[in-house]
């Protein structure tokens, strides 16, 4: 059963109807969707999730983007789930994300919001510490 990680389909992914396709890829990787719920992220949750980015130029836009519409919040489990899911997600910038990755394959033509935030479909915890911090923000 291995690790657990926090995974989220961001507002752009939900709005474009990509939840099924994205979760099919997650399961195709041998990972398990333990929990899944469609939610509206509150400003408080967004601030907590992105606390490590506080002070960066894109931070205000990031809070606005992630609270701009519904997301699908998930707990994903499996062997090496954190690194495995990050690999499946691809690079932060979809324009450089590799073929075969979620961000690379499913990106739209314009990957930048009006305020400069990168729209990249998905979030995944980047370390065991991040996963332990992020899961309880969305799952009590
Ligand atoms: P990650 O999502 O690949 O872990 P992070 O560096 O943790 O990337 O950044 C969090 C989110 O903030 C990214 O997914 C993206 O939406 C946005 N972001 C990151 N870097 C930039 C940037 O340089 N400009 C605009 N938005 C950014
Ligand atoms: Mg990150």
């Amino acid at each position: 059963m291995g690790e657990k990680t926090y995974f989220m389909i961001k507002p752009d992914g939900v709005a474009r109807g990509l939840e099924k396709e994205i979760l099919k890829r997650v399961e195709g990787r041998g990972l398990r969707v333990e929990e899944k719920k469609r939610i509206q992220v509150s400003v408080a949750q967004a601030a907590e999730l992105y606390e490590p980015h506080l002070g960066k130029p894109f931070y205000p836009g990031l809070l606005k983007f992630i609270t701009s519409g519904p997301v699908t919040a998930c707990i994903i489990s499996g062997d090496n789930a954190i690194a495995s899911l990050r690999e499946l997600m691809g690079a932060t910038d979809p324009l450089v994300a590799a073929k075969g990755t979620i961000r690379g394959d499913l990106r739209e033509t314009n990957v930048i919001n009006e305020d400069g935030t990168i729209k990249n479909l998905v979030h995944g915890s980047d370390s065991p510490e991040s996963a332990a911090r992020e899961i309880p923000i969305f799952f009590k």
Side-chain angles (χ1 to χ4, degrees), residues 10 50 53 56 58 62 65 86 89-92 103 116-120 122-124 126:
K10 295 183 179 183
Y50 288 125
H53 296 297
K56 294 184 187 170
F58 59 86
L62 189 52
F65 169 47
R86 290 287 298 190
M89 287 165 55
T92 302
R103 287 166 167 174
T117 316
I118 296 172
K119 288 187 280 182
N120 53 13
V122 285
H123 168 89
D126 64 7

Side-chain angles (χ1 to χ4, degrees), residues 20 48 56 64 72 86 104 112 115 117 120 125 138-139:
K20 259 188 140 174
E48 207 177 335
K56 294 184 187 170
K64 204 174 124 200
T72 302
R86 290 287 298 190
I112 307 288
D115 57 19
T117 316
N120 53 13
S125 307
F138 300 94
F139 294 93

Side-chain angles (χ1 to χ4, degrees), residues 86-131:
R86 290 287 298 190
E87 211 173 289
L88 179 67
M89 287 165 55
T92 302
D93 180 352
L95 296 179
V96 307
K99 272 212 181 102
T101 67
I102 292 169
R103 287 166 167 174
D105 292 350
L106 304 178
R107 71 178 176 84
E108 54 192 310
T109 312
N110 175 22
V111 299
I112 307 288
N113 278 325
E114 318 78 74
D115 57 19
T117 316
I118 296 172
K119 288 187 280 182
N120 53 13
L121 299 165
V122 285
H123 168 89
S125 307
D126 64 7
S127 66
E129 295 70 31
S130 299

Side-chain angles (χ1 to χ4, degrees), residues 12-64:
D12 54 332
V14 170
R16 290 176 56 216
L18 293 172
E19 174 180 316
K20 259 188 140 174
E21 167 68 26
I22 289 170
L23 293 180
K24 192 179 82 183
R25 286 171 181 244
V26 171
E27 287 173 336
R29 182 116 183 153
L31 298 171
R32 194 176 122 91
V33 182
E34 292 268 346
E35 303 275 355
K36 175 178 81 126
K37 60 182 179 185
R38 179 70 56 88
I39 59 166
Q40 169 68 48
V41 175
S42 69
V43 173
Q45 285 173 314
E48 207 177 335
L49 177 67
Y50 288 125
E51 195 266 335
H53 296 297
L54 187 62
K56 294 184 187 170
F58 59 86
Y59 175 82
L62 189 52
L63 293 204
K64 204 174 124 200

Side-chain angles (χ1 to χ4, degrees), residues 63-86:
L63 293 204
K64 204 174 124 200
F65 169 47
I66 216 67
T67 58
S68 67
V71 305
T72 302
C74 304
I75 299 175
I76 304 295
S77 70
D79 285 340
N80 202 26
I82 297 166
S84 179
L85 195 63
R86 290 287 298 190

